[in-house]
Amino acid sequence: MDTAKQLLAAEQGSKKIAVEIKSFISPSEMADLKDAIGGFIMYRAVIHRLEPERRLYLAVRDSVFTALFEEPIGKLLIETENLKLLVFNPETERIIQWIP
């Protein structure tokens, strides 16, 4: 089963952003992570070409952030791939953290 994903365009104040929402629903978190990072890099390249003022964020549930992005591999990917993350709580439907 693949990760569920969705791409949304939005504005954060005066900044234009795009948000790729990843659900991480397959049995393998590492396969989901690989898919998420690959998709993020691809979308970021396309968005940069078409709308260079728009910034892409990867949206993940707070539990996924804790399980993957607070671990050494996740921290490494945030740093080396210049990931911008939006961490949300699906129950409250609230953004917990923006990681620029």
Side-chain angles (χ1 to χ4, degrees):
M1 184 181 283
D2 292 333
T3 56
K5 55 187 160 185
Q6 187 175 7
L7 188 63
L8 305 169
E11 294 187 17
Q12 178 192 28
S14 62
K15 298 178 185 177
K16 291 183 177 182
I17 64 171
V19 179
E20 179 185 9
I21 303 168
K22 290 292 200 171
S23 296
F24 287 79
I25 56 175
S26 83
S28 170
E29 285 184 335
M30 291 312 285
D32 283 349
L33 181 61
K34 183 177 96 173
D35 180 55
I37 300 305
F40 181 87
I41 292 168
M42 181 185 69
Y43 287 135
R44 182 176 61 193
V46 171
I47 289 169
H48 179 71
R49 176 61 59 102
L50 298 176
E51 294 186 73
E53 71 283 357
R54 193 173 297 276
R55 297 293 170 247
L56 179 62
Y57 283 82
L58 178 64
V60 297
R61 292 186 320 262
D62 51 356
S63 60
V64 170
F65 177 76
T66 301
L68 294 175
F69 291 100
E70 288 189 335
E71 294 298 318
I73 186 72
K75 289 179 180 181
L76 175 67
L77 290 169
I78 289 170
E79 181 181 322
T80 60
E81 297 305 326
N82 192 28
L83 295 180
K84 297 181 183 333
L85 298 176
L86 183 159
V87 183
F88 68 95
N89 180 297
E91 287 82 34
T92 63
E93 299 181 352
R94 294 193 183 267
I95 296 171
I96 306 296
Q97 187 175 6
W98 289 88
I99 299 173

